[in-house]
C-alpha cells in the first residue's frame, strides 16, 4: 500500500519534474511564466504518438524488445526535438517582441500562445483522445483464447473491447466482428509500475546531464550569468537572444520527453493533454522554488507523492471521498508550502538590485 | 593623422527634461590612459552607459576605429572590444569568482554553441583553454585564492578587482573603469593605481576611467575630461585641468552647495 502510493507518486512526480524544469529554467532566465510550456509537452506527445505509430511499435511482437526500445528512443528524440523547435519558434515570434514590455504583457502573451496552440492542435489533430501506441501483439478475433488472458483493445480506442477474464465464445466473436472489429490488440505485459520505473530512471539519468550542462559548459555558465544579471551579461558580450533561445530549446526538449513518457504511461493523447500536467508542473516548480533547477526536481517528486499520499492518508482517517479531491489537494499543498516558505523550498529570496 | 581608437561625437542623453549628458565629444587613441571626472550627478556613469550601449543616445554618434557603432547593441559593442566595470558592483553574485570570469568566454567569437555538445574532444580542449586563461587572469589580479568563492562573499575591494578580471576576459582594446577605487583604503588604492598602469601595457589596453579620488586620477591619467551637469567643461593634462577656472568653480560650487 505504502509502496504503491510511493511508486505512483514518484512516477507521476518524475513527469512533473520533467515539465517543471522547463518552467523554472525559462523563469530563471527571463522571469517569464511560460504558460505555453504545457503545450510544448502536448505537441511532443503528439509527435511521439505519430512516430511510434508509424514505426509500428504496436505491430511488433513483444518478444522483440530491441526494435521496440529503438522505436521508443527514436520517437522520444523526434518528440523532444519537435517540442524544442516549437519553443524556439514561439519565443522568437511571440515572446521576444514583448520581452521589454513588462511582465504582465509577457504573461498574457504566454496565456494567449497556450490557447492558440491548444486550438491549433484541435484543428489539426481533432479534439478527441487517441490511444497511445503500445508495443503489443495483434490477434485476429478468431484466435482469441476462450478466456481472455489480458485486456484487448483496438488501436483507436483507449478502453479495452475485451477485458481480462472475459469469456469469449462464438457469439462474442460474432458480436465483435459485427462492430467491424477483425483484429484486436493485446495490451502488453508492461505494467504501469514498469513504465513508471522507466520514467524515474530517465529522470535519474537526465538530472546529472542537466547539472553538467548548467555547471560545466560555456552555455550553462552564460545561462546562469543571464539569470543573475542579464544587463551585466549583455555588457560582457553575452548574446541574450541566443541564451534565451537555448534555454527554451532545452526546457521544451525535456518537456517533449516528458510528454511521451506521460502519454505512454497513462495511455492517451489529446490537445488538452498538456493542460493539467502543465499546471501541476508549474505548481511543482513554485513549490520547489521557481528559478531553481534542483527545486523543480524536488518540487515535482514531492507534488507527485503528495497527490497520492494525502488522499490515501485522508481515506485512512475516514474521508471516503478524498480521492475525488486529488487535484484540489495539490493546490492546498502548494498554499501550505508557500505559507511556510514563500520563496518555495529551494528558492532564493529575491535579491534587490541597487 | 591616424584614426582614433574610439570617439564620441556630440553625444547627448536626456531623461525627460534632465540632460544627463549634453554634447560630449571625447577621443581616445590606442594606448591612452584617460580620466573622466566631475561632481556627483555630472553624467559620468551615463556617459559610460552610452559608450557601451547600455543606454541609447538621444543624439550624437559613437565611433570605433572610424566606424559608426551607434546602432550596435550592447553585446555587439562588447565583442568589438570594449569592456567595463560598474560603479555599483554588478558581478553575478551566486557564481564563483572563477565562473564569473569564465562566463564571459561564451560571448567571445569562435565559441560554437552546439560544438560544445557534439565535438567532445574539441569541447574539452576549449574548456581547458578557458580555465587556463581565467585562472591566469585571477592570478594576475591576486584573486587566485578566491577562485572558488562566491562573488558575493568576497570582500569589497576584491569584488572590484574581480570586475576588472571579468572585463579583461573579453580581451578588450578599450577598458572602461567606473570608480574602480571606490571604497578602497589608501593602501589598496595605491596598489590599484599601480595595477591599472601595468595592465595597460601588459594587455595593450586603452583605458578610460571615472574616479572621484583626485590623487588617483591625477596620478595616472595623461589626459582628463571634466563633466559638470552633463556638460564637458574642460579637457587637458592633469595640470591644465587643475588650473581650470570652470573646474575649480564646479567643484567648489558643488561643495558650497552641500
Ligand atoms: N536611468 C535614469 N533615469 C533618469 N535619470 C537618470 C538615469 N540615470 C542617471 N540619471 C540622472 O542623470 C544624472 C547623471 O547621473 P550619472 O549617474 O551619470 O552621474 P555620475 O556622474 O556618474 O555621478 P556619481 O559621481 O554620483 O556616480 C543624474 O542627475 C541622475 O539622476
Ligand atoms: Mg557614476
Amino acid at each position: 500500500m505504502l509502496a504503491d502510493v510511493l511508486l505512483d507518486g514518484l512516477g507521476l512526480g518524475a513527469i512533473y519534474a520533467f515539465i517543471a524544469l522547463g518552467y523554472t529554467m525559462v523563469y530563471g532566465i527571463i522571469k517569464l511564466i511560460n504558460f505555453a510550456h504545457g503545450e510544448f509537452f502536448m505537441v511532443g506527445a503528439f509527435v511521439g504518438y505519430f512516430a511510434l505509430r508509424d514505426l509500428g511499435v504496436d505491430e511488433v511482437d513483444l518478444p522483440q524488445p530491441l526494435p521496440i526500445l529503438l522505436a521508443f528512443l527514436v520517437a522520444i528524440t523526434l518528440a523532444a526535438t519537435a517540442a524544442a523547435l516549437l519553443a524556439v519558434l514561439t519565443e522568437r515570434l511571440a515572446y521576444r517582441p514583448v520581452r521589454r514590455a513588462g511582465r504582465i504583457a509577457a504573461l498574457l502573451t504566454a496565456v494567449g500562445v497556450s490557447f492558440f496552440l491548444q486550438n491549433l492542435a484541435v484543428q489539426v489533430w481533432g479534439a478527441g483522445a487517441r490511444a497511445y501506441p503500445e508495443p503489443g501483439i495483434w490477434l485476429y478475433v478468431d484466435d482469441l483464447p476462450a478466456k481472455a488472458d489480458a485486456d484487448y483493445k483496438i488501436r483507436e480506442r483507449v478502453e479495452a473491447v475485451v477485458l481480462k477474464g472475459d469469456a469469449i465464445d462464438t457469439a462474442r466473436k460474432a458480436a465483435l466482428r459485427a462492430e467491424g472489429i477483425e483484429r484486436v490488440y493485446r495490451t502488453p505485459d508492461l505494467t504501469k509500475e514498469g513504465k513508471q520505473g522507466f520514467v524515474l530512471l530517465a529522470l535519474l539519468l537526465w538530472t546529472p546531464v542537466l547539472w553538467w550542462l548548467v555547471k560545466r559548459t560555456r552555455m550553462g555558465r552564460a545561462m546562469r550569468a543571464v539569470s543573475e544579471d542579464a544587463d551585466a551579461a549583455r555588457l560582457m558580450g553575452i548574446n541574450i537572444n541566443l541564451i534565451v533561445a537555448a534555454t527554451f530549446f532545452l526546457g521544451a526538449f525535456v518537456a517533449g520527453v516528458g510528454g511521451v513518457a506521460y502519454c505512454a504511461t497513462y495511455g492517451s493523447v489529446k490537445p488538452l493533454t498538456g493542460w493539467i500536467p502543465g499546471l501541476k508542473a508549474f505548481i511543482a516548480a513554485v513549490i520547489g522554488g521557481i528559478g531553481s533547477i534542483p527545486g523543480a526536481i524536488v518540487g515535482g517528486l514531492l507534488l507527485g507523492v503528495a497527490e497520492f499520499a494525502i488522499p490515501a492518508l485522508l481515506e485512512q482517517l475516514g474521508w471516503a471521498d478524498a480521492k475525488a479531491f486529488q487535484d484540489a489537494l495539490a493546490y492546498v499543498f502548494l498554499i501550505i508550502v508557500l505559507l511556510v516558505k514563500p520563496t518555495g523550498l529551494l528558492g532564493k529570496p529575491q535579491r534587490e538590485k541597487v | 593623422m591616424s584614426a582614433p581608437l574610439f570617439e564620441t561625437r556630440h553625444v547627448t542623453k536626456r531623461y525627460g527634461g534632465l540632460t544627463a549628458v549634453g554634447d560630449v565629444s571625447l577621443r581616445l587613441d590606442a594606448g591612452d590612459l584617460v580620466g573622466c571626472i566631475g561632481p556627483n550627478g555630472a553624467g559620468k556613469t551615463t556617459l559610460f552607459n552610452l559608450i557601451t550601449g547600455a543606454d541609447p543616445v538621444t543624439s550624437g554618434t559613437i565611433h570605433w576605429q572610424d566606424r559608426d557603432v551607434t546602432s550596435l547593441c550592447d553585446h555587439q559593442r562588447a565583442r568589438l572590444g570594449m569592456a567595463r566595470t560598474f560603479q555599483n558592483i554588478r558581478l553575478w553574485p551566486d557564481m564563483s569568482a572563477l565562473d564569473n570570469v569564465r562566463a564571459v568566454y561564451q560571448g567571445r567569437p569562435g565559441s560554437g554553441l552546439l560544438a560544445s555538445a557534439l565535438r567532445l574532444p574539441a569541447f574539452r580542449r576549449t574548456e581547458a583553454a578557458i580555465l587556463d586563461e581565467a585562472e591566469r587572469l585571477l592570478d594576475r589580479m591576486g584573486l587566485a585564492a578566491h577562485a572558488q568563492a562566491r562573488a558575493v562573499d568576497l570582500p569589497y575591494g576584491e569584488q572590484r578587482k574581480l570586475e576588472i578580471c571579468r572585463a579583461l576576459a573579453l580581451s578588450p582594446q578599450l577598458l572602461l573603469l567606473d570608480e574602480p577605487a571606490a571604497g578602497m583604503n589608501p593602501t589598496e588604492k595605491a596598489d590599484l593605481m599601480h595595477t591599472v598602469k601595468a595592465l595597460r601595457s601588459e594587455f595593450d589596453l586603452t583605458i578610460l576611467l571615472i574616479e572621484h579620488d583626485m590623487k588617483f586620477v591625477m596620478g595616472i591619467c595623461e589626459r582628463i575630461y571634466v563633466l559638470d551637469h552633463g556638460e564637458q567643461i574642460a579637457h587637458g593634462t592633469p595640470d591644465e585641468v587643475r588650473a581650470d577656472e570652470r573646474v575649480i568653480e564646479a567643484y567648489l560650487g558643488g561643495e558650497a552647495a552641500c
Side-chain angles (χ1 to χ4, degrees), chain A residues 182-203:
Chain A
E182 287 293 334
R183 290 201 313 168
V184 285
Y185 169 58
R186 183 191 195 280
T187 41
D189 291 327
L190 250 184
T191 57
K192 192 158 141 244
E193 286 74 22
K195 291 186 206 163
Q196 286 171 333
F198 225 70
V199 178
L200 267 173
L201 188 72
L203 184 68

Side-chain angles (χ1 to χ4, degrees), chain A residues 335-351:
Chain A
I335 292 167
I336 292 172
V337 170
L338 291 186
L339 282 176
V340 177
K341 198 155 185 299
T343 54
L345 295 174
L346 301 180
K348 277 176 251 140
Q350 195 70 41
R351 211 182 288 277

Side-chain angles (χ1 to χ4, degrees), chain A:
Chain A
M1 162 55 213
L2 182 68
D4 273 356
V5 165
L6 260 181
L7 190 63
D8 276 345
L10 288 175
L12 186 60
I15 289 167
Y16 290 160
F18 265 109
I19 315 174
L21 281 169
Y23 273 116
T24 228
M25 289 172 70
V26 164
Y27 184 86
I29 294 272
I30 52 171
K31 306 288 172 280
L32 166 74
I33 292 165
N34 176 21
F35 261 96
H37 192 59
E39 275 57 55
F40 301 158
F41 168 91
M42 173 270 292
V43 168
F46 262 105
V47 170
Y49 163 85
F50 290 115
L52 287 172
R53 203 193 63 182
D54 294 343
L55 287 168
V57 276
D58 49 2
E59 308 279 1
V60 191
D61 288 346
L62 260 181
Q64 299 175 291
L66 193 65
I68 291 173
L69 215 62
L70 217 67
F72 264 91
L73 224 61
V74 171
I76 285 177
T77 309
L78 285 175
T81 308
L85 292 178
L86 176 68
V88 170
L89 197 72
T90 304
E91 191 276 323
R92 181 68 193 83
L93 296 180
Y95 296 154
R96 197 181 299 176
V98 297
R99 201 187 295 157
R100 286 179 177 279
R103 285 165 72 168
I104 299 294
L107 187 69
L108 288 177
T109 306
V111 173
V113 168
S114 169
F115 283 128
F116 173 77
L117 290 176
Q118 267 175 30
N119 285 296
L120 190 68
V122 171
Q123 290 304 315
V124 177
W125 295 316
R130 301 172 185 226
Y132 222 66
E134 280 180 301
I137 307 167
W138 284 96
L139 281 180
Y140 285 97
V141 168
D142 270 342
D143 298 336
L144 282 172
K147 188 164 182 278
D149 54 346
D151 284 351
Y152 287 91
K153 16 185 192 178
I154 58 175
R155 185 190 257 166
E156 290 74 23
R157 235 189 268 172
V158 180
E159 327 82 55
V161 286
V162 176
L163 292 176
K164 185 171 182 175
D166 279 3
I168 307 168
D169 49 18
T170 12
R172 181 77 198 269
K173 287 178 182 172
L176 285 170
R177 251 183 251 109
E179 276 187 68
I181 300 170
E182 287 293 334
R183 290 201 313 168
V184 285
Y185 169 58
R186 183 191 195 280
T187 41
D189 291 327
L190 250 184
T191 57
K192 192 158 141 244
E193 286 74 22
K195 291 186 206 163
Q196 286 171 333
F198 225 70
V199 178
L200 267 173
L201 188 72
L203 184 68
L204 224 61
L205 291 176
W206 170 249
T207 305
V209 173
L210 189 65
W211 182 87
W212 178 82
L213 275 175
V214 171
K215 292 281 184 192
R216 289 276 183 270
T217 68
R218 257 173 292 168
M219 191 190 52
R221 282 190 288 265
M223 278 180 178
R224 278 184 292 149
V226 171
S227 101
E228 291 196 14
D229 187 338
D231 290 332
R234 275 209 303 275
L235 290 165
M236 290 300 134
I238 292 173
N239 182 347
I240 302 258
N241 287 339
L242 199 70
I243 300 301
V244 171
T247 307
F248 269 84
F249 187 96
L250 210 57
F253 191 90
V254 185
V257 176
V260 177
Y262 180 81
C263 292
T265 311
Y266 298 96
S268 71
V269 61
K270 59 178 190 289
L272 280 177
T273 286
W275 183 239
I276 294 298
L279 207 60
K280 294 278 186 58
F282 171 58
I283 295 177
V286 174
I287 287 176
I290 192 145
S292 156
I293 287 178
I297 294 170
V298 170
L301 293 176
L302 203 65
L303 181 66
V305 171
E307 230 178 81
F308 285 94
I310 293 176
L313 194 74
L314 292 175
E315 268 176 359
Q316 295 281 305
L317 295 177
W319 184 21
D321 287 341
K323 264 248 146 38
F325 292 87
Q326 196 176 24
D327 283 356
L329 290 169
Y331 299 100
V332 173
F333 184 62
L334 168 74
I335 292 167
I336 292 172
V337 170
L338 291 186
L339 282 176
V340 177
K341 198 155 185 299
T343 54
L345 295 174
L346 301 180
K348 277 176 251 140
Q350 195 70 41
R351 211 182 288 277
E352 287 301 328
K353 281 181 194 136
V354 219

Side-chain angles (χ1 to χ4, degrees), chain B residues 40-241:
Chain B
N40 288 117
K44 306 179 294 294
T45 298
T46 305
L47 182 62
F48 268 25
N49 289 342
L50 301 180
I51 293 174
T52 53
D55 240 346
V57 297
T58 306
S59 64
T61 52
I62 291 163
H63 300 260
W64 178 260
Q65 293 168 339
D66 245 7
R67 171 179 167 206
D68 187 340
V69 296
T70 320
S71 61
L72 291 192
C73 65
D74 40 12
H75 80 262
Q76 292 169 319
R77 288 193 213 177
R79 287 189 192 198
L80 280 181
M82 15 176 137
R84 69 176 285 180
T85 65
F86 299 87
Q87 178 175 359
N88 45 355
I89 293 168
R90 296 280 288 272
L91 291 165
W92 298 301
D94 286 326
M95 290 167 65
S96 68
L98 180 63
D99 279 353
N100 262 275
V101 178
R102 283 199 290 182
V104 175
Y105 292 101
Q106 203 287 320
R108 275 250 300 262
S111 63
L113 189 71
L114 285 175
S116 68
L118 300 177
R119 301 206 323 268
L120 272 176
F123 167 78
R124 241 180 279 130
R125 241 180 293 128
T126 333
E127 277 294 315
I130 288 173
L131 179 63
D132 197 53
E133 202 172 319
E135 280 178 337
R136 250 187 311 121
L137 287 174
L138 286 171
D139 195 38
R140 172 62 188 88
M141 295 303 289
L143 294 171
H146 298 296
Q148 298 304 331
R150 285 195 316 164
V152 70
D153 295 334
L154 292 180
Y156 195 74
E158 313 283 271
Q159 291 194 22
R160 290 222 170 272
K161 286 192 215 158
L162 181 55
E163 276 217 329
I164 297 179
C165 253
R166 183 175 69 167
L168 289 174
L170 263 170
S171 314
Q173 286 169 272
L174 175 63
L175 180 63
L176 302 150
L177 303 172
D178 196 345
E179 304 200 15
M184 289 187 171
N185 64 37
T187 336
E188 286 177 313
K189 276 185 187 170
D191 274 353
L192 186 68
M193 267 173 85
H194 188 74
T195 308
V196 169
K197 254 175 147 168
L199 288 178
R200 169 169 60 161
S201 44
E202 271 171 54
F203 292 87
D204 283 326
L205 295 170
T206 306
I207 297 176
L208 177 61
L209 68 89
I210 295 172
E211 190 45 70
H212 278 295
D213 188 305
M214 287 306 155
K215 225 175 99 193
F216 194 102
V217 186
M218 303 284 175
I220 60 173
C221 295
E222 290 131 10
R223 286 189 291 132
I224 293 171
Y225 287 93
V226 189
L227 299 187
D228 186 29
H229 295 297
E231 243 184 283
Q232 184 179 324
I233 58 167
H235 168 222
T237 64
D239 286 335
E240 287 167 352
V241 163

